Amino acid sequence: QVQLVESGGGSVQPGGSLRLSCAASGVTLDFYPVGWFRQAPGKEREGVSCFSHSDGYTWYSDSVKGRFTISRDNAKNTLDLQMNSLKPEDTAVYYCAIDIERGACPLNDMDYWGKGTLVTVSA
């Protein structure tokens, strides 16, 4: 029933920007913690940013803090990630995820995941 579909990935030069969007169905994002994760080639998946459903608290990994901004559009039931000043090390498949059972983020085993969208940052 729950589906998360990411979009907005692509190729960009260092210093460029991209905006990712996660469209949810079968669940209301406003009711649960939601977040963005990424997995670079040969590396473990890591949390990038989270948005709390209860108080609007946001969390960012140290590597993206000040460059990425997470937001939630309750009317559209989408989760967005604005990525600025992109670096080659940001290259990864980006996933959105939601946790219903534990109500926490980031977790490496969030309850539901999208299939990801590829972001490639290179000259």
Side-chain angles (χ1 to χ4, degrees):
Q1 289 289 118
V2 177
Q3 290 192 71
L4 303 173
V5 181
E6 304 93 339
S7 63
S11 297
V12 65
Q13 295 183 5
S17 299
L18 285 174
R19 187 176 182 88
L20 306 182
S21 183
C22 173
S25 61
V27 65
T28 300
L29 296 180
D30 186 42
F31 294 163
Y32 306 97
V34 293
W36 287 95
F37 298 73
R38 68 185 182 186
Q39 187 168 25
K43 296 185 178 181
E44 297 293 316
R45 186 161 58 192
E46 63 176 346
V48 175
S49 182
C50 292
F51 195 104
S52 172
H53 69 287
S54 60
D55 56 9
Y57 172 80
T58 57
W59 170 87
Y60 299 91
S61 67
D62 290 341
S63 62
V64 309
K65 192 175 300 181
R67 300 187 297 119
F68 292 9
T69 303
I70 191 170
S71 62
R72 187 178 64 199
D73 189 328
N74 293 334
K76 297 180 180 179
N77 204 31
T78 61
L79 180 72
D80 296 335
L81 184 69
Q82 178 65 47
M83 306 185 294
N84 298 326
S85 302
L86 285 163
K87 305 175 180 179
E89 50 263 44
D90 294 320
T91 296
V93 176
Y94 284 72
Y95 303 86
C96 65
I98 184 170
D99 191 85
I100 295 174
E101 296 293 333
R102 293 157 295 182
C105 182
L107 300 171
N108 61 15
D109 60 344
M110 302 282 282
D111 291 333
Y112 296 95
W113 299 81
K115 292 187 176 182
T117 185
L118 177 63
V119 172
T120 301
V121 184
S122 63

